[in-house]
Amino acid sequence: MAAFSYICDSVAVITMSNPPVNALSSALIRAVQKAVEEAIGDFAVEAIVIRGDKGKFSAGADIREFNRLERGPPLVSLIDLIEDSKKPVVAAIEGVALGGGLELALGCHYRIAHAQAYVGLPEVLLGLVPAAGGALRLPRLIGISATLSMITTGKYVQAREALKLGIVDKVVGENTVDEAIQLAKKVIGQPLGSRQLSTLPVQCPPNVEAFLDEAMVKVKKQFRGAQSPLACVEVLRAAVQLPYLEGKKKERELFQFLYTTDQTRAQQYAFFAEREVAKWTLPSGASWKTASPQPIRTAAVIGLGTMGRSIVTSLAKAKIPVIALEQDKKQLDIGSKAVMSLLDREILKMEQLGHTEFTNSLGPVQFTLDYGKLRDVDIVIEAVFENMALKKEIFRHLSGICKPEAFLCTNTSGLDIDEMASVTNRPQMVIGTHFFSPAHIMKLLEVVHGHYTSSTTISTAMRLAKMLGKVGVLVGNCPSFVGNRLMRLYVEQAVFLVEEGSKPEEIDRALEDFGLAMGPFRMMDLAGLDIGWKARTEIGLTGPKLPIGTPARQRGSKRYSPLPDILCEKGRFGQKSGQGWYKYEKSGGRNAMPDPWLYNFLSEYQRIHNLKTHYVTQEEIIERCLYVLINEGFKVLEDGIASGPEDIDVIYNNGYGWPKYTGGPMYYASIVGLPVVLTKLEKYYGANPDIPDLKPSSFLKKLVSKGNPPLKEWRSHLGFQSSML
Ligand code: NAD
């Protein structure tokens, strides 16, 4: 566990060992405590170094003991013991010092970090606040402002930035432990008062109360509805206003309060769900455990439009050499400039954070028009227009050019993977890698498994997600896959509500107040209304292919709203044209303003179609938009397109701006209670029988009939015979 392992010229080195990340389990904390006590009591020891085994200091609390956390981490007394030691204690930080790991390091008198190490207090991401003095010691070391930014976002800080901020005393390129021993020897006998952080005053800006009030307002806005970032500001207030020991009490109170809330439980669920989805399994028995990914040493991207350019950037950031291919010289020039500018921005960002080595560690990007250059790459990601004929032509072509071991991936938003695979000479090596825009920033990768896709191909695509720092979620092949399939119904419901008398800004506000990053109308305006319009025109839902005599507001037996089509016919494409559901200060403007023109247009539309409007409450907005999405989630499970509710939640939390503190749409449904969701869907479907998507899914009904089992049992009620995975 932890050993007071050796004494090197009067320096005791204590090694924390709890694989794989030296999480601070109760047993490890006890062992370290014992080792520190021994070292303090040993006359031969004059200084102490604490390090983590296998190149990792510590990733913090042991998540396996999460359900026991409410008893309070005994870590606090260990940290106090270290800080109070008369013998200097140096933390040798390799790998990570996160959460409790960093709090422990802050209790040490000195900190040395390896250049590749990260530090951070990510408790907020689990709906908590740091509870072992981290939020009280850190502002005494680096000031209120920098601490605020770290603890409210939970962001990790790389060693060089940590040095700049003052969190660590020195950064080394190698031999971190040896350097720590040297430092420990050097400071033997020196006074430690100024190194005991809890005894120091908090570093405050001149008008700290006003600063904290302002911070509270900003944090409320930034993390709409989430309570733990607000609690982080409260801890900082306690750090400023109260002596250290009283601040500690306040920190504890806030932690204990948060620990019992629904939000924290939801965030912890979301955290574990992300780990769970990496462990994919197919009904055939193939799984993440048995399938072996193939190495990806080089990649190619075809098409350098909105997606292709950011996919190239994402690969380069992951140090994977990329060949980027376009259809003609003009597009290649535009695309290559765009990629270079994205890469420059990434480099600048990293340099501002002090990572000078980053520039040299980007994967090289080669631009070309020549397919022949793709002969030796390990993986190709196609990102051309959303057009099946074109995609098939490209896949056929790639089949003849790429080496037989190369994987062929498509970034399609929802076209049939099998149809593309069927034109290749390696259908088992074809897979969907559905990135989200912008691909170098968004964390989600929907990995779409086709009928022929092999487990090696899945495993390789999931590994790619990891290499790119993304969360890969394996889904089955159906139109629009999981994320967009659910999203389409949510957006459609919002448009129906506008027909029924609500306003875009009312709907956006209701859903943003619920916690979504952006309401549906602002989202449509941002993405461009013309994209959906083109797709609907292509499949004949609108435009010249629509059979003459089709009722304006009906397709088949289903209700249809032509509102978005009409807006496009009027040139209102959203932000890019300066007007859409909102108006903007200029084309490309971002400031959405309600548009009186739209109100007149909607009144006229309602008059022409003889629509009876009603007052749409906030409750109806939330329930209709979210429950239709959740209902489709149950259908996705029933169809075997996602293997469990966790997969859907991870997709929404990471790709669609869903508030993590509600856990994701399926978890949220489980908290609301499935009988409630069912009753409401029945009510809304009863009132709108022309919207069949509101009709409760049979899987939802089944779960209610089984007595509303907890979410973790839902999978056991699914029949596997229908699985598309
Ligand atoms: P885009 O129109 O911005 O770019 C497509 C690019 O492909 C263009 O630069 C075009 O010149 C190039 N291209 C066309 N034919 C080619 C050929 N034969 N060889 C090489 N290059 C060719 O499109 P986009 O928005 O980047 O979308 C690309 C794909 O990604 C589509 O399948 C789309 O559905 C999907 N997608 C888009 C988004 C998004 O938010 N835009 C999100 C996820 C997935």
Side-chain angles (χ1 to χ4, degrees), residues 351-653:
E351 282 177 354
Q352 278 166 354
L353 296 176
H355 308 318
T356 39
E357 77 283 8
F358 181 77
T359 321
N360 304 325
S361 65
L362 283 175
V365 184
Q366 194 187 332
F367 297 96
T368 186
L369 293 172
D370 177 8
Y371 271 89
K373 295 253 167 68
L374 274 45
R375 220 173 291 282
D376 294 322
V377 294
D378 296 322
I379 194 163
V380 182
I381 301 170
E382 165 280 309
V384 303
F385 305 129
E386 188 75 338
N387 176 307
M388 181 55 92
L390 174 63
K391 290 194 190 270
K392 276 162 87 173
E393 185 190 315
I394 287 174
F395 272 83
R396 212 176 278 122
H397 200 44
L398 289 173
S399 222
I401 285 173
C402 297
K403 64 181 181 187
E405 307 82 47
F407 297 94
L408 307 181
C409 311
T410 171
N411 186 47
T412 176
S413 319
L415 297 178
D416 186 359
I417 307 293
D418 292 337
E419 195 174 336
M420 284 176 235
S422 67
V423 301
T424 69
N425 57 359
R426 62 193 85 180
Q428 74 286 0
M429 297 178 81
V430 175
I431 194 161
T433 45
H434 183 204
F435 289 80
F436 287 71
S437 182
H440 60 296
I441 309 251
M442 294 293 286
K443 264 192 84 184
L444 178 64
L445 185 71
E446 252 186 346
V447 174
V448 192
H449 172 253
H451 178 69
Y452 312 101
T453 316
S454 72
S455 52
T456 305
T457 309
I458 297 175
S459 176
T460 307
M462 293 294 274
R463 161 74 73 84
L464 174 70
K466 211 165 175 195
M467 288 169 80
L468 301 181
K470 298 192 188 299
V471 189
V473 184
L474 182 64
V475 300
N477 182 23
C478 71
S480 304
F481 316 134
V482 173
N484 288 347
R485 173 169 158 182
L486 273 56
M487 180 54 39
R488 189 180 63 74
L489 301 184
Y490 154 90
V491 167
E492 187 181 60
Q493 206 58 221
V495 176
F496 289 157
L497 286 169
V498 166
E499 285 191 332
E500 292 172 30
S502 194
K503 295 200 173 78
E505 56 273 24
E506 287 167 354
I507 296 173
D508 280 350
R509 199 177 319 119
L511 289 159
E512 286 166 13
D513 284 351
F514 171 81
L516 282 153
M518 198 181 274
F521 294 98
R522 291 211 297 130
M523 188 183 74
M524 279 186 265
D525 272 3
L526 173 70
L529 291 171
D530 52 321
I531 295 179
W533 184 43
K534 267 190 213 140
R536 290 189 298 276
T537 307
E538 198 154 302
I539 56 172
L541 279 174
T542 187
K545 287 193 205 159
L546 182 70
I548 296 170
T550 308
R553 298 183 53 252
Q554 199 179 320
R555 297 292 178 269
S557 57
K558 283 182 168 193
R559 181 159 153 196
Y560 179 82
S561 175
L563 276 175
D565 301 334
I566 303 173
L567 292 184
C568 287
E569 284 158 16
K570 293 184 182 300
R572 297 179 69 104
F573 297 151
Q575 288 188 3
K576 62 174 85 160
S577 63
Q579 48 190 10
W581 292 104
Y582 292 93
K583 67 175 178 180
Y584 297 85
E585 63 280 20
K586 56 176 189 223
S587 297
R590 293 184 167 210
N591 192 10
M593 292 170 282
D595 189 350
W597 176 91
L598 190 87
Y599 301 156
N600 292 332
F601 161 73
L602 288 174
S603 310
E604 186 57 12
Y605 174 86
Q606 283 148 352
R607 192 189 62 74
I608 293 171
H609 294 285
N610 203 12
L611 299 181
K612 280 200 193 75
T613 58
H614 67 279
Y615 175 67
V616 182
T617 62
Q618 185 164 359
E619 187 187 5
E620 182 172 357
I621 295 171
I622 297 209
E623 290 176 350
R624 275 182 58 184
C625 292
L626 300 188
Y627 292 177
V628 78
L629 181 155
I630 288 165
N631 195 35
E632 193 65 14
F634 284 110
K635 291 185 196 167
V636 155
L637 292 175
E638 206 173 359
D639 295 350
I641 291 296
S643 55
E646 296 86 354
D647 302 72
I648 301 175
D649 286 335
V650 172
I651 288 174
Y652 265 77
N653 289 337

Side-chain angles (χ1 to χ4, degrees), residues 280-301:
W280 58 273
T281 309
L282 301 182
S284 66
S287 79
W288 65 283
K289 275 194 203 148
T290 48
S292 23
Q294 295 303 300
I296 301 173
R297 295 185 205 93
T298 51
V301 174

Side-chain angles (χ1 to χ4, degrees), residues 41 249 256 410 673:
K249 265 193 227 149
Q256 272 163 347
T410 171

